[in-house]
Amino acid sequence: MTSAMTKRPVSELPGDPACLHLHYGHGHSAVPYDSEDTLEPWHVAITYGTAGDEEWEDEEERSGHAPVAGSEIGHLILWRLRDYTGDNRWEAADAESGDLEVIVSAVLGRSERTGYNAAFEKAITHPFGDLLILDRVSLDKAWRGFGLGPALAVEAIRRLSRGCCAVAVFPAMGEYPEDREQVTEAYRIEVKKKIAALWESIGFQPFRRGVWLLDTALRRPEELMQARRKHLRALGTAFQQRGSV
């Protein structure tokens, strides 16, 4: 099986993608300190099944190569930038990382950087409330090339974007080749284009300063999510049927 969403044949999958699970984690002190009430971190672990699940243990015995049940094969990092907390949202983002600062600078106005700017208000249907930021999607190399990254990202966005007027992402290089001499400016531009194309496939649109936005009020992202789910189901079916013909 190959498609526009899949670069590698299904025979190279390490396991059944229908067995992947997302686990959401967020912890905080009872009394928030610094800016943790304004910039809320979420870590989403991606595991192959769940530990101790007999169904996946049986599959491992049948296939002889499936990952151990409950083993982590990747993760996502997202941030919820909360509005109306009284803290300076730009300062909170700037203190965390350069990528977050780029995103927040692109969407906030100059007046103490607390409110959304005119460009954001024009781009988003209902530009009020929190902003969800997709910071990182990481998969083990064995699982890459099957269209899983965007599919898993859109599922996490669905569950964490409630009450958010938009989702933001800044396509940037998350990993570098061993030979750093390969990383020319042309190389960076090409990598960023490929990453941006992935986010565009689930509803993100170019905004400004390299930042892309997904409008949570639009129907298009929902339609694209359903297409990703359909792709995952087909990928799982193809994996289960491999070698049966």
Side-chain angles (χ1 to χ4, degrees):
M1 170 189 172
T2 57
S3 72
M5 298 182 183
T6 306
K7 297 179 181 178
R8 297 167 60 188
V10 68
S11 60
E12 295 183 6
L13 270 167
D16 188 347
C19 298
L20 297 180
H21 279 240
L22 277 66
H23 308 263
Y24 298 79
H26 168 69
H28 62 88
S29 59
V31 179
Y33 64 91
D34 294 336
S35 59
E36 69 174 4
D37 191 39
T38 298
L39 188 61
E40 181 181 286
W42 282 88
H43 182 276
V44 185
I46 307 166
T47 67
Y48 190 73
T50 55
D53 195 310
E54 295 180 358
E55 179 182 347
W56 280 277
E57 291 176 354
D58 291 343
E59 181 195 335
E60 184 178 1
E61 292 178 359
R62 292 194 304 271
S63 65
H65 62 77
V68 176
S71 58
E72 185 168 328
I73 60 95
H75 67 273
L76 301 92
I77 297 176
L78 301 96
W79 302 83
R80 188 179 185 115
L81 187 67
R82 292 192 172 274
D83 202 358
Y84 312 117
T85 64
D87 290 336
N88 186 302
R89 293 191 287 174
W90 178 83
E91 289 182 356
D94 183 50
E96 186 60 41
S97 78
D99 285 354
L100 293 184
E101 190 278 333
V102 169
I103 291 173
V104 175
S105 292
V107 303
L108 295 185
R110 293 182 179 277
S111 179
E112 297 183 357
R113 298 185 183 273
T114 54
Y116 293 119
N117 57 37
F120 183 87
E121 292 179 349
K122 183 178 180 180
I124 300 302
T125 305
H126 302 295
F128 309 100
D130 299 347
L131 177 73
L132 185 66
I133 299 172
L134 177 60
D135 188 18
R136 184 174 297 274
V137 179
S138 177
L139 285 174
D140 291 351
K141 289 184 178 179
W143 290 90
R144 299 175 189 174
F146 303 101
L148 297 174
L152 297 171
V154 79
E155 293 295 342
I157 288 171
R158 179 181 180 85
R159 284 155 181 80
L160 295 178
S161 62
R162 184 172 182 178
C164 294
C165 60
V167 186
V169 68
F170 178 63
M173 290 182 60
E175 295 182 358
Y176 289 82
E178 293 184 5
D179 183 4
R180 287 300 185 96
E181 292 184 0
Q182 296 180 30
V183 188
T184 62
E185 185 61 24
Y187 180 91
R188 290 176 182 274
I189 292 174
E190 185 61 26
V191 170
K192 287 184 177 182
K193 283 182 179 179
K194 291 179 179 179
I195 296 173
L198 293 177
W199 301 144
E200 186 174 17
S201 73
I202 58 175
F204 284 91
Q205 294 295 317
F207 176 53
R208 63 199 294 252
R209 299 181 185 175
V211 175
W212 290 58
L213 295 177
L214 183 152
D215 189 337
T216 57
L218 298 181
R219 186 186 183 101
R220 181 60 175 162
E222 174 74 18
E223 294 173 344
L224 293 172
M225 183 196 70
Q226 294 300 334
R228 285 287 172 177
R229 286 182 172 179
K230 182 178 179 180
H231 167 71
L232 273 186
R233 285 192 290 268
L235 193 62
T237 299
F239 177 84
Q240 294 160 19
Q241 294 177 343
R242 71 198 189 288
S244 62
V245 179

